[in-house]
Amino acid sequence: MIRIIPDVLDADGVARLRAILDAADWIDGNETSGPQAALAKRNQQLPEFGEPAVEAGRLVLDALGRTPMFIAAALPLKIYPPYFNRYAGGETFGDHIDNAIRMRRGSDFRMRADLSATLFLADPGSYEGGGLVIEGMTAPPGLKLPAGHMVLYPSSTVHRVEPVTTGARVASFMWIQSMVRDQGQRDLLFDLDMGVQGAAMALGQGDATVVRLTGVYHNLLRRWADS
């Protein structure tokens, strides 16, 4: 299921990240593409191992660790170090499905991509086009979220970025291996978690019903999760 995660970064966080990105040198986005993606992809990307991408990636990962809704929705086991891309002048990324296994060059890091995430870093009014279209979830012109907001969706879905006709679409994207592989189980856990939090606000954390529901959540997580 698609999840909108608001305010992963506040305005100051976006500004700090954009200062790094706007001063960096960008390269052809196909440096990291698989065979299918290379046929559909036209954009720019920060070099994966360059200092700007590493520094900006740390800021994104730190922000995700402070975002309870992301943790609840993704139940992350591994997060691939964030990439950063830019679309301008008609650049686009046609229909594609993300690779199931992500391997980091020059290391033994590998992971299963259960979820894909896009963190928007440009105000939607600053560019035309560039909507993220996710099959079965969004239709053209696609999602264009405020800077600092994230969309999380299954990596198994066909998706694309519509051509950017004016301005520049800047974003971070990454993949997540969840502790819970099954999407349906993740959705149930998320809904239960939101319900428990709502009950705790209404009844108090020590209420017997809240305690019991919290136990149900953790016992299901214990049953379904790999760590």
Side-chain angles (χ1 to χ4, degrees):
M1 179 179 290
I2 190 170
R3 303 281 184 198
I4 305 299
I5 315 293
D7 301 318
V8 173
L9 291 170
D10 60 15
D12 289 342
V14 171
R16 184 179 177 190
L17 203 56
R18 284 299 303 265
I20 296 169
L21 304 184
D22 293 345
D25 293 323
W26 297 75
I27 60 172
D28 188 330
N30 274 317
E31 181 179 280
T32 56
S33 297
Q36 180 196 59
L39 298 175
K41 183 178 181 182
R42 288 191 293 117
N43 66 6
Q44 303 163 68
Q45 191 167 297
L46 284 191
E48 179 178 5
F49 297 101
E51 184 177 341
V54 172
E55 181 182 2
R58 281 198 296 265
L59 294 178
V60 171
L61 292 176
D62 286 347
L64 291 176
R66 299 190 301 269
T67 307
M69 188 175 179
F70 169 78
I71 303 298
L75 295 170
L77 178 62
K78 296 180 181 179
I79 302 176
Y80 196 94
Y83 283 125
F84 299 88
N85 60 18
R86 182 172 66 185
Y87 294 79
E91 291 175 324
T92 183
F93 197 162
D95 285 343
H96 65 285
I97 294 176
D98 292 337
N99 290 349
I101 304 298
R102 310 300 310 191
M103 294 180 287
R104 190 163 168 82
R105 288 178 298 169
S107 76
D108 59 359
F109 181 92
R110 68 175 60 203
M111 55 169 277
R112 184 185 67 245
D114 296 318
L115 294 162
S116 299
T118 297
L119 175 62
F120 290 79
L121 297 173
D123 186 277
S126 67
Y127 60 97
E128 295 289 335
L132 175 62
V133 178
I134 305 168
E135 183 182 45
M137 301 177 185
T138 59
L143 285 171
K144 292 177 63 173
L145 299 180
H149 287 34
M150 170 182 276
V151 58
L152 186 69
Y153 56 97
S155 299
S156 56
T157 54
V158 177
H159 53 281
R160 68 179 183 271
V161 177
E162 298 280 76
V164 174
T165 54
T166 62
R169 176 193 190 270
V170 181
S172 175
F173 65 102
M174 68 212 77
W175 301 278
I176 299 98
Q177 179 175 332
S178 178
M179 291 185 288
V180 177
R181 179 195 293 252
D182 183 81
Q183 179 67 45
Q185 292 172 346
R186 282 199 306 273
D187 289 343
L188 285 172
L189 286 166
F190 179 81
D191 289 342
L192 180 56
D193 191 5
M194 296 300 101
V196 170
Q197 291 185 39
M201 290 181 63
L203 302 174
Q205 193 67 51
D207 179 83
T209 298
V210 173
V211 171
R212 184 170 293 276
L213 287 173
T214 301
V216 171
Y217 173 86
H218 284 286
N219 286 332
L220 286 174
L221 186 59
R222 209 183 324 271
R223 178 181 291 266
W224 291 337
D226 295 315
S227 61

